[in-house]
């Protein structure tokens, strides 16, 4: 049955400890959080950091015009987009809007937001508004100009190595753009619900073109009996031991999304079974009792400080305020966004994962790099 309330908070736990004041070696500060509530994140404008600028624009217009200015949203949202390596370029058609001078155009930006408006016939028209650009830009280096019937906006990228599939971060752009960052590294989905793990894994794999694998299916084929029957007949430890062997086998695979077992019989719930999970990116889907973002962060802080839950070893933590299978893509999209931030924060991470596999998953993640070792020289899973 669908939950009455659905929300999520996603956190890159690989870098969470320092941000939360928890000591951990080699940790850098990064928290990615977004409350989606099942909506397209590009339209979550109620919390947009650029909204105050809307009022500033209106104030400037009113002071200049001396009269009231009405607002409207331009019906056509089509635009042209180009990634020119150092910068990205956006082209908006303004030929039908009767814009007479450049002072009637207002472009407001910050590192992750863009608001474009024009004044035409006494009306302020929104051409583009998003608080979720695909990645960060340099606001101070933004330029724009009018080229015949088009408004051209040039945005300087912070990371010139990252190819932008589109202007905004969306399901479509993430599924295309994340592949250059994952470099074939597999993803493991962990958490207390096998159903949730498998549902999200299936959506993720379909979106990025990976192979979906379910340890429950592999185990049931091996044992020729349902997991629950196995637990009853031989105990949870037997199932966890067998799943650990399956994960070991899968740890050398590339381009797969692996859904693990939930519950006490799941290997991921046990610290001594995590050695091979570190071979890929791990995402913990956690049903949270938190009522808001602040309490969800506090809950995550307690889990990591306590360390009793093996799931706290995961690279990314997703706090789910209830579960609705119809919103699986919302969760999957947040997973990709968090993985994007994680891999951008440490561009050597995929190389370290690859080396970890090559060294036989020794169990000493993440401190595996020998002195002077260059991760860029390692063979990536997709090579």
């Amino acid at each position: 049955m669908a939950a009455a309330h659905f929300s999520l908070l996603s956190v890159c736990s690989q870098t969470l400890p320092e941000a939360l004041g928890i000591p951990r070696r080699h940790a850098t500060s990064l928290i990615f959080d977004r409350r989606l509530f099942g909506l397209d994140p590009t339209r979550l404008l109620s919390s947009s950091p650029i909204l105050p600028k809307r009022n500033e624009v209106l104030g400037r217009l009113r002071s200049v015009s001396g009269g009231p200015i009405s607002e409207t949203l331009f019906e056509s949202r089509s635009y042209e987009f180009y990634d020119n390596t150092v910068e990205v370029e956006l082209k908006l058609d303004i030929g039908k809007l009767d814009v007479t001078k450049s002072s009637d155009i207002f472009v407001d930006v910050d590192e992750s937001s863009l608001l474009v408006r024009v004044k035409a016939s006494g009306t302020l028209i929104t051409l583009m508004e998003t608080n979720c650009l695909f990645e960060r830009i340099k606001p101070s280096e933004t330029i724009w100009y009018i080229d015949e019937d088009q408004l051209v906006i040039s945005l300087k990228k912070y990371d010139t190595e990252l190819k932008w599939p589109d202007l905004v971060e969306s399901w479509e752009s993430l599924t295309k753009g994340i592949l250059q960052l994952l470099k074939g590294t597999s993803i493991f989905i962990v958490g207390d619900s096998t159903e949730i793990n498998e549902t999200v894994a299936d959506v993720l794999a379909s979106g990025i073109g990976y192979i979906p694998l379910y340890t429950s299916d592999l185990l049931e084929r091996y044992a020729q009996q349902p997991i629950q029957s196995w637990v009853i007949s031989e105990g949870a430890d037997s199932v966890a031991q067998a799943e650990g062997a399956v994960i070991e086998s899968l740890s050398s695979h590339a381009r797969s999304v692996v859904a693990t077992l939930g519950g006490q019989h799941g290997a991921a719930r046990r610290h001594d079974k995590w050695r091979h999970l570190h071979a890929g990116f791990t995402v913990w889907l956690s049903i949270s009792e938190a009522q808001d973002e602040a309490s969800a962060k506090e809950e995550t802080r307690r889990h990591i400080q306590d360390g009793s839950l093996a799931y706290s070893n995961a690279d990314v933590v997703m706090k789910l305020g209830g579960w609705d299978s119809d919103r699986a893509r919302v969760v999957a999209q947040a997973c990709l966004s968090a993985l994007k931030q994680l891999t951008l924060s440490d561009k050597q991470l995929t190389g370290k994962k690859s080396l970890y596999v090559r060294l036989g998953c020794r169990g000493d993640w993440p401190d595996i790099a020998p002195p002077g070792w260059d991760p860029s020289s390692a063979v990536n899973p997709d090579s």
Side-chain angles (χ1 to χ4, degrees):
M1 182 174 62
H5 170 68
F6 173 81
S7 63
L8 65 85
L9 166 71
S10 58
V11 179
C12 292
S13 69
Q14 186 83 357
T15 51
L16 178 67
E18 183 176 314
L20 295 181
I22 305 170
R24 179 185 287 181
R25 286 188 298 167
H26 308 307
T28 56
S29 178
L30 169 68
I31 292 183
F32 166 85
D33 67 67
R34 179 174 300 142
R35 301 180 65 191
L36 296 177
F37 296 98
L39 300 178
D40 181 349
T42 63
R43 301 305 303 156
L44 293 182
L45 300 179
S46 59
S47 60
S48 169
I50 65 176
L51 285 182
K53 295 179 181 178
R54 173 191 306 185
N55 296 329
E56 294 173 10
V57 172
L58 285 174
R60 293 201 304 270
L61 284 173
R62 291 190 179 105
S63 64
V64 171
S65 66
I69 297 293
S70 60
E71 296 184 67
T72 187
L73 191 63
F74 188 38
E75 292 182 0
S76 174
R77 293 182 180 277
S78 61
Y79 58 85
E80 296 178 34
F81 173 78
Y82 305 92
D83 185 323
N84 299 320
T85 306
V86 175
E87 61 190 14
V88 291
E89 191 173 83
L90 173 69
K91 293 185 177 181
L92 298 164
D93 187 6
I94 59 173
K96 300 178 181 179
L97 297 179
D98 192 29
V99 178
T100 59
K101 52 185 180 296
S102 60
S103 59
D104 290 336
I105 297 175
F106 304 89
V107 178
D108 290 276
V109 296
D110 64 18
E111 287 191 347
S112 59
S113 307
L114 173 65
L115 174 61
V116 182
R117 296 189 167 199
V118 299
K119 188 181 74 169
S121 302
T123 301
L124 187 62
I125 301 172
T126 301
L127 297 181
M128 171 68 66
E129 183 172 19
T130 179
N131 68 329
C132 197
L133 295 173
F134 186 75
E135 212 1 74
R136 293 188 306 153
I137 61 168
K138 300 177 180 179
S140 61
E141 298 185 38
T142 298
I143 61 173
W144 62 266
Y145 58 91
I146 298 175
D147 182 13
E148 296 183 347
D149 290 337
Q150 288 185 317
L151 172 61
V152 182
I153 304 173
S154 176
L155 307 170
K156 288 292 181 67
K157 301 192 307 186
Y158 260 105
D159 190 335
T160 58
E161 296 178 4
L162 179 66
K163 182 72 175 178
W164 288 32
D166 197 0
L167 179 72
V168 299
E169 183 185 276
S170 64
W171 173 251
E172 290 74 17
S173 64
L174 282 169
T175 52
K176 293 178 183 177
I178 196 66
L179 296 176
Q180 63 188 297
L181 300 171
L182 294 180
K183 299 179 180 178
T185 307
S186 291
I187 301 170
F188 292 91
I189 307 297
V190 304
D192 272 330
S193 171
T194 302
E195 175 195 355
I196 295 176
N197 295 348
E198 292 181 350
T199 303
V200 174
D202 186 60
V203 175
L204 265 177
S206 176
I208 64 178
Y210 273 26
I211 298 174
L213 296 171
Y214 318 111
T215 59
S216 64
D217 182 49
L218 297 173
L219 289 169
E220 287 179 349
R221 289 185 188 182
Y222 164 76
Q224 296 185 344
Q225 64 176 324
I227 296 296
Q228 290 304 321
S229 298
W230 189 347
V231 172
I232 294 172
S233 62
E234 300 187 39
D237 290 345
S238 174
V239 177
Q241 186 71 21
E243 189 187 24
V246 170
I247 292 172
E248 179 179 356
S249 176
L250 297 177
S251 64
S252 60
H253 288 217
R255 302 182 188 87
S256 60
V257 181
V258 181
T260 64
L261 290 177
Q264 295 290 341
H265 51 277
R269 195 177 176 86
R270 305 167 185 233
H271 283 284
D272 62 342
K273 302 298 181 186
W274 266 78
R275 187 173 67 176
H276 294 93
L277 285 169
H278 289 309
F281 292 108
T282 49
V283 178
W284 173 19
L285 304 180
S286 172
I287 298 295
S288 174
E289 297 180 357
Q291 299 299 311
D292 53 36
E293 181 180 311
S295 54
K297 285 184 179 180
E298 178 58 30
E299 185 179 69
T300 305
R301 180 202 299 269
R302 290 197 307 270
H303 283 155
I304 293 178
Q305 272 186 324
D306 178 51
S308 59
L309 281 176
Y311 297 138
S312 61
N313 290 312
D315 296 305
V316 172
V317 178
M318 287 288 175
K319 290 294 184 180
L320 309 180
W323 171 246
D324 182 344
S325 59
D326 292 336
R327 304 288 178 83
R329 200 174 91 166
V330 175
V331 179
Q333 179 175 331
C335 289
L336 292 179
S337 187
L339 287 171
K340 184 190 74 173
Q341 297 301 322
L342 176 66
T343 50
L344 286 175
S345 71
D346 182 0
K347 292 186 177 180
Q348 298 178 340
L349 189 54
T350 52
K352 293 175 183 177
K353 296 280 187 182
S354 176
L355 180 64
Y356 187 65
V357 176
R358 293 171 60 200
L359 293 178
C361 297
R362 303 181 316 193
D364 52 357
W365 178 265
D367 302 316
I368 61 168
W373 175 76
D374 179 9
S376 63
S377 64
V379 179
N380 284 317
D382 64 335
S383 61

